[in-house]
Amino acid sequence: MRRRAVWLVVAAVGALVALGSAYAVQRTLGGAPDEDAGWLDSLADVQGTWVSTTGFARDGSTPWTTPVHLAVEGDRVRLDAGCNTMTGEVTLDDHRLDAGGGLATTEIGCPPDIAGTEGWLAAMVAARPQASLKGSTEGPMLALDSDAGWIGFVRR
């Protein structure tokens, strides 16, 4: 009887892991699920400073080792991963963050891991990420989702 209970628990845990893995694969390959709400049409609701708490690159890696800071001031954004600062004017077009020709960046020589993060962020912004405002256990989360990956920010 005890052996059967253990197997039932093992089977239940295995099923949960399989469902979670299937969802992660769907997010990675298929983008945002249709039931996602909170698409942004305006930068008005996301003014202020934010810090990254979660995210991933499409290759499954987490391309940063330190928090990424994001500031939204009017129609300008500023991103800082710990070395250089990227800044520029953005618009929201069809729920996508559009930086036009890209963001201007300072050109300080950075350690390789931070330089990699900055390259990933530049690719994220260049790919016109979908922008949404969602709930999280830490409060409102500003999520950016593109072919480069996904990153979530909470208010700082």
Side-chain angles (χ1 to χ4, degrees):
M1 181 72 146
R2 178 168 232 181
R3 188 179 209 123
R4 182 173 181 204
V6 169
W7 280 109
L8 286 174
V9 169
V10 168
V13 169
L16 288 173
V17 168
L19 285 173
S21 297
Y23 178 75
V25 168
Q26 187 275 332
R27 281 286 289 168
T28 300
L29 297 177
D34 291 335
E35 68 271 7
D36 270 4
W39 298 118
L40 288 181
D41 293 313
S42 160
L43 294 172
D45 293 334
V46 294
Q47 295 293 306
T49 56
W50 301 77
V51 65
S52 65
T53 59
T54 188
F56 62 87
R58 290 292 177 209
D59 66 5
S61 67
T62 302
W64 60 87
T65 57
T66 61
V68 175
H69 297 272
L70 167 69
V72 182
E73 299 163 355
D75 61 354
R76 297 189 65 76
V77 297
R78 185 178 65 247
L79 288 159
D80 181 351
C83 189
N84 286 298
T85 300
M86 292 176 260
T87 187
E89 249 179 58
V90 296
T91 60
L92 279 170
D93 181 33
D94 194 26
H95 317 297
R96 291 186 174 277
L97 189 70
D98 189 348
L103 298 177
T105 185
T106 57
E107 295 186 13
I108 299 169
C110 303
D113 58 335
I114 295 177
T117 299
E118 291 174 350
W120 182 83
L121 286 169
M124 166 69 81
V125 172
R128 297 185 64 235
Q130 292 178 321
S132 61
L133 192 59
K134 307 169 184 259
S136 79
T137 58
E138 300 175 64
M141 177 178 282
L142 171 57
L144 300 177
D145 191 357
S146 80
D147 290 340
W150 180 88
I151 189 169
F153 299 89
V154 294
R155 287 204 185 270
R156 188 166 170 220

